[in-house]
Amino acid sequence: MVNQGFWEKYKKLIKDVVLDYQYLVMLDEADIKIEAEREDASLPSERSQAITNLKIAAGLMEGEHYGWWFQDTDVYKWIETAAYTLENFDDEALKTRVDSVIDIIEQAQDQDGYLSTYYQLRAPHLKYKELDRSHELYNAGHLIEAAVAYAKATGNETLLEVSKRYVDHIMAHFGVGKIEGADGHQEIELALIKLYNYTNDVKYLDLSRYFIDVRGKDPLFYNKQKEALGQDPFTNLDYLQAYDQPIHQKEAKGHAVRVLYMMEAMADLALHQNDQAMEDAVMTLWDDIVKRKMYVTGGVGQTVHGESFADGYELPNDTMYCETCAAIGMVNTAQRLFKLKPDNRFIDVLERALYNGMLSGMSQDGKHFYYVNPLEYIKDRYTPDKGHVKGQRPEWLGCACCPPNISRTIASIDSYFYTRIENEFYIHMYADAHYEDEDIKVTQLSSFPKSVDNTFEITIKKGSFNLRFRKPQWAKYIKVRLNGTVVDNVIWLAEGTYTITTEMDYEPLTLYTNGNVVHNSNKVAFQYGPFVYCGESIDQKEAIYKYRVNPTTIFKQWHNDALGRRYNLEVGARYVVTQDSLYSNEPEALEASSALNLIPYYLWANRAHTDMMVWLPIDKES
């Protein structure tokens, strides 16, 4: 359970506002405007209808399916969010509401176990025959994740039995001598491992491994399916990561979220099956991303074309994609890789993506959401390749994968703060979070983000533990005290109750980019603690893009207002005096300015429609 602090605010927002809001949206009872995630008139954006689709499939009402092939998953992720919320708060009304939705899902399931409303209602003759796009197993994966989470939280296994019946149907149709291919969008692979962890039934682990190994084994698989239907036999195998088997892939290609969901499963399989080749493969993909393709916010996916990875060092700030779901994929993949190979470099990325690339995806009111998270937005500059970049968060999206994905991540935030591997207990991050199992209880008391000097109340109930306190990448040092005495940041504790305090020295940081990234040449960004900063024109005398900053002059200032509790940064800067001519033989003239005001990136676009920049040009004379 979260204590008072930064994350408590968010978890209460999920409980008190977001869950109800998203439920009404999926019932089409919210008075909102839904926007397409990118500029494309063919994209569905009239309504959600996610719950209604299930009601129609259940025979509870008449109508036609509306929305994407994967519209069902909005409901499943909402249930998963509710499950994590019920672990932290007693809320019988919420539980009753979720149980009623689960009842609809149970009735919507076909007698043979199949459950995907698009194909049940629109094209039952095409079940499992359009796997490059159908998302049927993607739907199954999110159903499984919701079912496991809800069973853990409440003991109600109705949805778990629904998911098991669907998996049985899948097992009857996929495998050697059956359908020898995988869903175009990875998700069931990681979900099956969660089902294995909960049930200890190895058949789920084996099925996950099958879907990983069969991907790319026959690169013509999807084309063969299309030829059988009389369709154009062309498939972008890079987009689907199906150009080769995952264990042989060396570079992150194609749809960013799909890559990361695949990597989550690969990391888990390497751990459970002690598979060094699988470990090497997923580590190779990870290094390709974080060393060449990741934004300073932890965002990934450089291009709108296929929501995909691009070449290394191709990191444009204003046309990039950086889907919220991809940032969440980075968080979850880093968590899995740490369990496979405990190394704080994974947590450094997890924290970066969590506090920046993910958290920017939801407004402070919990009712507006970003699909795309740019690092630069100039409100009066439009080009056709920026149709996906929005200056304000929509109330909902036609493709609504991101809003409930953010919700379930925030609702389960405690799980990202700690990792237990047998008797090794790792403390990753420093804010308000809690952990408890049958052997150990950890409560972290914090005034984060004002300070990361925290107090831990730790009870070892049984046995003994090695506690490992991480020194974040952004801190100069960490000082750990046990009952007032300075000790190492690795402490062995036997049974008993202990008070441990941590202190860290950290200052605002100036960030520069690798010289291969031409987009950030002669530019600088700023970070304080885990937060990357940005400037908005609303806070400046001139438009943000006219400023040239002095990266050696940085001050922090505490604020507590309608935008939230935070430190702002004030950076020395001058601004450009705009000339009439487009080009000139003279260098730009600069005027002295009061300090440039920067806010944490995740808070941008919460006040007004305004320009924003993360990477700021350097004043060459500074």
Side-chain angles (χ1 to χ4, degrees), residues 244-446:
D244 200 350
Q245 290 177 283
I247 204 166
H248 300 310
Q249 295 181 23
K250 306 295 184 185
E251 182 181 353
K253 295 181 181 181
H255 191 276
V257 175
R258 300 179 195 222
V259 173
L260 291 161
Y261 284 12
M262 179 179 79
M263 289 171 62
E264 288 183 51
M266 291 172 70
D268 280 345
L269 287 168
L271 176 65
H272 284 297
Q273 298 181 335
N274 194 26
D275 189 326
Q276 187 62 50
M278 187 68 78
E279 178 179 333
D280 292 344
V282 71
M283 292 296 181
T284 297
L285 292 172
W286 178 259
D287 286 343
D288 179 55
I289 294 170
V290 299
K291 293 180 179 180
R292 306 194 312 138
K293 299 175 180 177
M294 182 182 74
Y295 285 86
V296 71
T297 57
V300 293
Q302 301 118 292
T303 175
V304 63
H305 300 290
E307 304 179 330
S308 295
F309 286 103
D311 289 339
Y313 307 112
E314 177 62 19
L315 292 165
N317 296 308
D318 59 343
T319 61
M320 54 0 83
Y321 214 68
C322 287
E323 182 184 341
T324 300
C325 284
I328 293 169
M330 288 294 289
V331 169
N332 290 330
T333 302
Q335 184 186 49
R336 302 300 206 289
L337 289 173
F338 183 88
K339 292 177 181 178
L340 176 62
K341 186 177 182 180
D343 188 322
N344 282 337
R345 66 188 173 106
F346 301 120
I347 305 304
D348 289 333
V349 174
L350 184 157
E351 184 179 60
R352 181 174 297 280
L354 184 71
Y355 280 103
N356 301 287
M358 184 281 292
L359 203 52
S360 62
M362 185 176 75
S363 65
Q364 293 297 286
D365 67 4
K367 295 182 178 181
H368 297 79
F369 304 91
Y370 269 144
Y371 194 103
V372 169
N373 297 272
L375 278 74
E376 179 176 312
Y377 175 79
I378 310 302
K379 68 177 183 179
D380 58 354
R381 308 288 167 81
Y382 174 80
T383 61
D385 59 349
K386 290 185 183 178
H388 57 292
V389 180
K390 303 178 189 296
Q392 294 181 300
R393 294 172 182 83
E395 293 176 298
W396 198 251
L397 295 146
C399 176
C401 53
C402 296
N405 209 358
I406 300 168
S407 304
R408 67 173 183 155
T409 303
I410 292 174
S412 61
I413 194 66
D414 301 85
S415 66
Y416 298 102
F417 272 71
Y418 310 101
T419 297
R420 178 184 174 180
I421 303 176
E422 297 180 347
N423 281 26
E424 298 288 328
F425 193 86
Y426 298 85
I427 293 91
H428 299 314
M429 293 182 289
Y430 301 89
D432 44 309
H434 172 83
Y435 177 95
E436 185 170 11
D437 62 25
E438 64 276 9
D439 300 322
I440 183 172
K441 179 179 180 180
V442 178
T443 301
Q444 187 173 172
L445 305 174
S446 171

Side-chain angles (χ1 to χ4, degrees), residues 42 58 81 88 152 319 324 337 436 473 505 524 529 583 620:
S42 69
T81 302
N88 289 279
K152 284 182 178 179
T319 61
T324 300
L337 289 173
E436 185 170 11
Q473 193 177 40
D505 183 23
V524 66
Y583 304 103
K620 296 178 182 178

Side-chain angles (χ1 to χ4, degrees), residues 578-608:
T578 305
Q579 305 178 69
D580 292 334
S581 59
L582 184 58
Y583 304 103
S584 173
N585 293 325
E586 300 296 325
E588 59 189 13
L590 297 174
E591 288 285 345
S593 170
S594 57
L596 190 69
N597 187 54
L598 306 180
I599 63 171
Y601 169 77
Y602 77 93
L603 288 171
W604 89 277
N606 270 281
R607 294 171 294 177

Side-chain angles (χ1 to χ4, degrees), residues 27-98:
L27 279 177
D28 301 312
E29 293 182 3
D31 183 17
I32 60 169
K33 178 184 177 182
I34 298 177
E35 298 182 32
E37 64 276 14
R38 58 185 181 274
E39 193 169 77
D40 185 338
S42 69
L43 301 180
S45 58
E46 296 174 22
R47 58 192 181 278
S48 166
Q49 199 173 303
I51 292 178
T52 302
N53 288 335
L54 288 159
K55 287 183 176 180
I56 297 169
L60 299 175
M61 60 185 296
E62 295 183 354
E64 295 183 354
H65 182 280
Y66 180 84
W68 290 99
W69 310 286
F70 46 86
Q71 209 81 344
D72 301 351
T73 61
D74 296 352
V75 182
Y76 301 150
K77 282 181 276 189
W78 177 83
I79 292 173
E80 190 178 351
T81 302
Y84 300 136
T85 299
L86 289 168
E87 287 183 341
N88 289 279
F89 302 99
D90 292 327
D91 192 329
E92 282 301 316
L94 175 60
K95 186 176 182 300
T96 299
R97 174 175 282 181
V98 175

Side-chain angles (χ1 to χ4, degrees), residues 5-238:
F6 183 87
W7 287 110
E8 179 194 36
K9 167 192 166 184
Y10 276 102
K11 293 187 79 170
K12 285 185 175 178
L13 184 67
I14 299 297
K15 172 184 177 292
D16 297 336
V17 177
V18 177
L19 278 164
D20 187 61
Y21 177 80
Q22 294 187 357
Y23 177 75
L24 293 176
V25 169
M26 292 186 297
L27 279 177
D28 301 312
E29 293 182 3
D31 183 17
I32 60 169
K33 178 184 177 182
I34 298 177
E35 298 182 32
E37 64 276 14
R38 58 185 181 274
E39 193 169 77
D40 185 338
S42 69
L43 301 180
S45 58
E46 296 174 22
R47 58 192 181 278
S48 166
Q49 199 173 303
I51 292 178
T52 302
N53 288 335
L54 288 159
K55 287 183 176 180
I56 297 169
L60 299 175
M61 60 185 296
E62 295 183 354
E64 295 183 354
H65 182 280
Y66 180 84
W68 290 99
W69 310 286
F70 46 86
Q71 209 81 344
D72 301 351
T73 61
D74 296 352
V75 182
Y76 301 150
K77 282 181 276 189
W78 177 83
I79 292 173
E80 190 178 351
T81 302
Y84 300 136
T85 299
L86 289 168
E87 287 183 341
N88 289 279
F89 302 99
D90 292 327
D91 192 329
E92 282 301 316
L94 175 60
K95 186 176 182 300
T96 299
R97 174 175 282 181
V98 175
D99 288 346
S100 69
V101 175
I102 289 174
D103 183 58
I104 294 169
I105 295 169
E106 185 179 28
Q107 293 181 68
Q109 186 171 37
D110 287 347
Q111 288 295 317
D112 61 5
Y114 183 88
L115 179 57
S116 184
T117 61
Y118 178 89
Y119 285 92
Q120 287 171 291
L121 299 173
R122 279 186 174 267
H125 60 292
L126 294 177
K127 293 176 182 177
Y128 301 144
K129 294 180 180 179
E130 300 181 311
L131 286 172
D132 67 312
R133 72 164 196 167
S134 71
H135 288 69
E136 290 158 282
L137 307 191
Y138 174 85
N139 287 350
H142 279 298
L143 171 65
I144 292 166
E145 288 196 90
V148 171
Y150 199 68
K152 284 182 178 179
T154 68
N156 182 342
E157 295 194 347
T158 301
L159 194 63
L160 188 72
E161 291 305 313
V162 170
S163 71
K164 286 181 178 179
R165 287 195 294 272
Y166 195 2
V167 174
D168 287 343
H169 188 276
I170 291 166
M171 293 181 71
H173 288 80
F174 288 82
V176 178
K178 306 173 188 176
I179 301 173
E180 298 190 39
D183 194 294
H185 198 311
Q186 299 89 326
E187 158 63 21
I188 194 172
E189 297 87 347
L190 69 90
L192 285 166
I193 298 171
K194 289 187 177 183
L195 188 57
Y196 162 72
N197 289 336
Y198 185 75
T199 65
N200 204 34
D201 190 333
V202 73
K203 72 180 182 183
Y204 301 126
L205 186 68
D206 291 342
L207 185 58
S208 173
R209 181 62 188 246
Y210 171 78
F211 283 128
I212 287 292
D213 286 345
V214 79
R215 179 175 298 276
K217 187 175 182 180
D218 176 9
L220 297 177
F221 169 77
Y222 299 109
N223 284 352
K224 291 175 183 176
Q225 281 205 321
K226 291 177 179 179
E227 287 177 338
L229 296 173
Q231 300 174 358
D232 179 22
F234 172 76
T235 305
N236 184 336
L237 297 180
D238 284 356

